[in-house]
Amino acid sequence: MLDVTSAEALLPSYLRDVYSWAYLTPWLAGWLDRQVVVQTILWGNAQRLIGDVLDEIAPGDRVFQAAAVYGDFSRQVAAKIGRRGQLEVRDIAPLQVSLTRRKLSDLPQAHVARGDAADPQDESADVVVCFFLLHEVPDAVKLQVTRAMLELVAPGGRAVFVDYHRPHRFHPLKPLMRRIFAWLEPFATSMWRHEIKDLAGPRGGGFRWRKRTRFGSMYQVVVAERI
């Protein structure tokens, strides 16, 4: 049984100070953890972006998921890999670990534990997935997470990063997203200024990179394949 009280005392300050409402408040987390909510937050693009991740996964793969994701994301990944695959989900917040364990409890190929994406201390995986995590952490942690995720990729495997991206100049939602970031997502606007590949630093040299954008360039899907 996870000791939520003592574990939360060890959480990074940015999570406690900025995202307590979204990830540490039980009643609100339970409401947010629904696919229809995720689909709405991502302006109807959630399933399309999940599909981009699933395209990079094969049945039987070992998949490492860097943080809990609200909605059906993890169940869809577990369904894609099947009973012969393995899904390892890590999250630093005890509440998120509990919620994710509950919704994956009937899937023996899925395992959920507490862990820090910046220092995962896990074995290698065929596919490492970082789904809308980078925009929620300070820039220094973005560097740590990106490089840690690449370290976990097995030979011939890949890391898949899905996150916000700078929208096209005249995107009608761009002014609104800027206000939302200023209000709720203070670390997100740097995703408009930096390429995920650049966050990898020299470590990215051992990978073949490709990127596609979605929804008027508001979202990006970046895949790094280990050479």
Side-chain angles (χ1 to χ4, degrees), residues 172-183:
L173 293 174
K174 188 175 181 180
L176 176 60
M177 292 306 298
R178 195 185 296 277
R179 292 189 180 93
I180 290 174
F181 288 167
W183 180 35

Side-chain angles (χ1 to χ4, degrees), residues 76-90:
Q76 293 190 47
V77 171
K80 181 67 181 284
I81 61 176
R83 296 297 177 97
R84 294 186 178 181
Q86 183 178 8
L87 171 62
E88 293 287 338
V89 183
R90 297 287 182 271

Side-chain angles (χ1 to χ4, degrees), residues 18-19 21 135-136 178-188:
V18 178
Y19 287 107
W21 64 275
H135 78 278
E136 295 185 332
R178 195 185 296 277
R179 292 189 180 93
I180 290 174
F181 288 167
W183 180 35
L184 297 173
E185 307 267 18
F187 311 121

Side-chain angles (χ1 to χ4, degrees), residues 45-206:
N45 289 274
Q47 193 54 51
R48 176 181 291 181
L49 294 167
I50 293 172
D52 288 333
V53 174
L54 296 178
D55 287 345
E56 303 295 334
I57 297 172
D61 273 350
R62 294 168 299 146
V63 178
F64 180 88
Q65 181 183 318
V69 177
Y70 283 150
D72 297 339
F73 177 82
S74 298
R75 291 194 64 86
Q76 293 190 47
V77 171
K80 181 67 181 284
I81 61 176
R83 296 297 177 97
R84 294 186 178 181
Q86 183 178 8
L87 171 62
E88 293 287 338
V89 183
R90 297 287 182 271
D91 199 281
I92 201 168
L95 175 61
Q96 296 303 313
V97 172
S98 297
L99 289 174
T100 307
R101 280 178 179 166
R102 190 179 310 153
K103 67 183 176 185
L104 300 179
S105 61
D106 61 326
L107 300 172
Q109 67 268 42
H111 178 255
V112 187
R114 188 167 185 267
D116 186 350
D119 185 20
Q121 298 181 354
D122 214 288
E123 297 180 1
S124 64
D126 300 308
V127 182
V128 175
V129 180
C130 191
F131 194 83
F132 283 95
L133 171 62
L134 292 179
H135 78 278
E136 295 185 332
V137 299
D139 285 358
V141 182
K142 286 178 173 61
L143 297 173
Q144 295 171 1
V145 170
T146 303
R147 295 168 190 186
M149 293 302 99
L150 295 180
E151 280 291 311
L152 293 178
V153 179
R158 61 190 63 84
V160 185
F161 301 89
V162 181
D163 221 298
Y164 288 106
H165 185 271
R166 187 177 188 86
H168 289 320
R169 182 178 180 183
F170 297 110
H171 197 299
L173 293 174
K174 188 175 181 180
L176 176 60
M177 292 306 298
R178 195 185 296 277
R179 292 189 180 93
I180 290 174
F181 288 167
W183 180 35
L184 297 173
E185 307 267 18
F187 311 121
T189 51
S190 68
M191 300 302 298
W192 289 11
R193 301 190 300 269
H194 304 296
E195 293 287 340
I196 292 176
K197 179 180 179 181
D198 294 337
L199 297 176
R203 196 163 297 172

